[in-house]
Amino acid sequence: MIFYFSGTGNTKWVAQQLAEATGEQLCYIPDELKKASQEYTLAEGERLGFCFPTHGWQPPKIVRQFIRNASFSNVDYVFAVTTCGDNMGHAMRILNKELGAKGFQTQSMFAVLMPESNVCFSFLHLDTKEREREKIEKARSTVKRICQVVKDQQRGVVELIRGAIPYTYTYVIGGYYNKHLITDEKFWVDENACIRCGLCQKLCPVDDIKELPPRWKHDGSCTNCLACYHHCPKHAIHWGNMKRGQYVFREK
C-alpha cells in the first residue's frame, strides 16, 4: 500500500509511478481520513509506502494526522519519498518519529527534487519554465531508480536532500512556517476574476472552502497545500500581499 498526499501534482506523479512499478495499491490520504476506520493489515510481502511533499521542511500536517489516526499490522518493508523544491531538511526525521510511535521505521527513504510551488515565503520563488523542465527531466531518472529499489525491497538506502543547515531549516524556519503559515487566514479571492467554477472546492483536500466565490472556514483544518491557489484557472485566488505565479505539474 502506498499512501500519498499532493497539492500541485508533483507527489502524485511520483506515487503513481511507484504504484505502477510495484503493483501496490495507491491510497490518497485525504480520502482515507474520511473513512470510518484507518486500520490496515498488509498482505505477506506487501510494501508500506508514504509519499508526501515537504511543507516548510516538515511533513504536511495532514500526513502526520493520518499516521497518528491509523493503525498498521503485518508491516515488514516501509519506505518513504518526499518531493521538495530545493531541500527537505530533517522532514524524514520527523516522519520516522511519527512512524516510531506506531512501532516501525522506514527501511529506505528518498527525496525527489521537483518544481517549486511555495508562494508563502518572500525569499522563495517559483522556478522558470526552463528550470521546471530541467527538474522534471532529472526527476524521471531519479524516480525510476527509486522504483527499482522499492520493487526489490532494498533496505538501508537513504537518498535525501537535507540542505546545508537542515536543523535550522526544519526546526527554526520550518518551525515558524508550520506554526504561523499553515493557515487559510491569508487566502483571498478577486471576485471580479473568479468564474465560480468550483474547482477550488473540489480540489481542497480538507473541505475548507464553503461557498463560491470561495470563502475559507478558518477552522484550523487548512493544510496549506495551495491546491486552490495553483489550480485556479483565472488565478483569482491569492495568498497574502505577494503577487506570485502558479504551478501545476504537467509532464513535459
Side-chain angles (χ1 to χ4, degrees):
M1 304 181 84
I2 299 174
F3 297 93
Y4 81 96
F5 176 62
S6 186
T8 60
N10 282 339
T11 306
K12 181 179 181 180
W13 176 67
V14 173
Q16 286 174 331
Q17 292 180 82
L18 281 159
E20 290 172 7
T22 61
E24 296 291 354
Q25 179 183 355
L26 193 59
C27 305
Y28 184 47
I29 285 175
D31 288 344
E32 297 301 311
L33 279 168
K34 293 172 184 176
K35 294 179 179 179
S37 172
Q38 289 89 47
E39 296 183 2
Y40 307 94
T41 300
L42 277 68
E44 194 68 29
E46 188 174 7
R47 305 160 188 83
L48 176 60
F50 298 92
C51 297
F52 60 92
T54 297
H55 282 184
W57 298 275
Q58 297 183 13
K61 179 175 73 171
I62 193 170
V63 174
R64 299 173 73 174
Q65 178 187 350
F66 169 70
I67 293 172
R68 291 171 186 176
N69 286 358
S71 64
F72 306 91
S73 56
N74 199 33
V75 175
D76 179 45
Y77 180 78
V78 186
F79 70 93
V81 182
T82 187
T83 57
C84 56
D86 186 10
N87 60 71
M88 35 73 69
H90 284 312
M92 284 298 182
R93 178 184 292 180
I94 294 177
L95 180 79
N96 272 315
K97 184 176 180 180
E98 298 286 357
L99 296 178
K102 298 294 178 177
F104 55 86
Q105 301 268 289
T106 54
Q107 271 80 52
S108 290
M109 49 190 175
F110 311 87
V112 180
L113 192 67
M114 293 292 289
E116 182 62 71
S117 62
N118 193 311
V119 297
C120 305
F121 264 146
S122 60
F123 60 84
L124 291 178
H125 298 276
L126 300 184
D127 294 312
T128 63
K129 294 301 180 183
E130 181 181 6
R131 182 60 176 148
E132 284 182 15
R133 289 192 293 269
E134 290 174 356
K135 283 185 172 181
I136 292 171
E137 186 61 33
K138 185 175 181 180
R140 284 196 185 96
S141 60
T142 300
V143 174
K144 184 177 180 180
R145 183 177 66 255
I146 294 171
C147 285
Q148 191 61 54
V149 171
V150 172
K151 184 177 181 180
D152 296 341
Q153 299 195 26
Q154 297 179 35
R155 300 168 187 261
V157 182
V158 177
E159 298 178 2
L160 302 178
I161 310 169
R162 295 188 178 94
I165 46 173
Y167 183 91
T168 300
Y169 288 144
T170 296
Y171 298 106
V172 180
I173 305 173
Y176 175 88
Y177 180 92
N178 284 277
K179 183 176 181 180
H180 298 288
L181 301 183
I182 303 299
T183 175
D184 60 10
E185 296 286 345
K186 292 182 178 289
F187 285 112
W188 59 277
V189 61
D190 179 349
E191 294 192 13
N192 292 322
C194 176
I195 59 174
R196 294 158 176 78
C197 64
L199 187 60
C200 54
Q201 274 188 316
K202 179 181 178 181
L203 293 178
C204 180
V206 292
D207 300 323
D208 187 37
I209 297 175
K210 60 185 178 181
E211 60 187 60
L212 297 174
R215 294 291 182 271
W216 291 263
K217 294 179 180 177
H218 305 321
D219 61 359
S221 62
C222 180
T223 193
N224 202 24
C225 67
L226 298 171
C228 61
Y229 171 97
H230 284 294
H231 285 274
C232 178
K234 295 298 182 180
H235 201 353
I237 294 175
H238 301 275
W239 196 93
N241 297 321
M242 293 181 289
K243 297 293 185 180
R244 299 291 181 88
Q246 293 172 293
Y247 166 77
V248 174
F249 174 81
R250 292 182 178 87
E251 191 162 5
K252 310 299 180 182

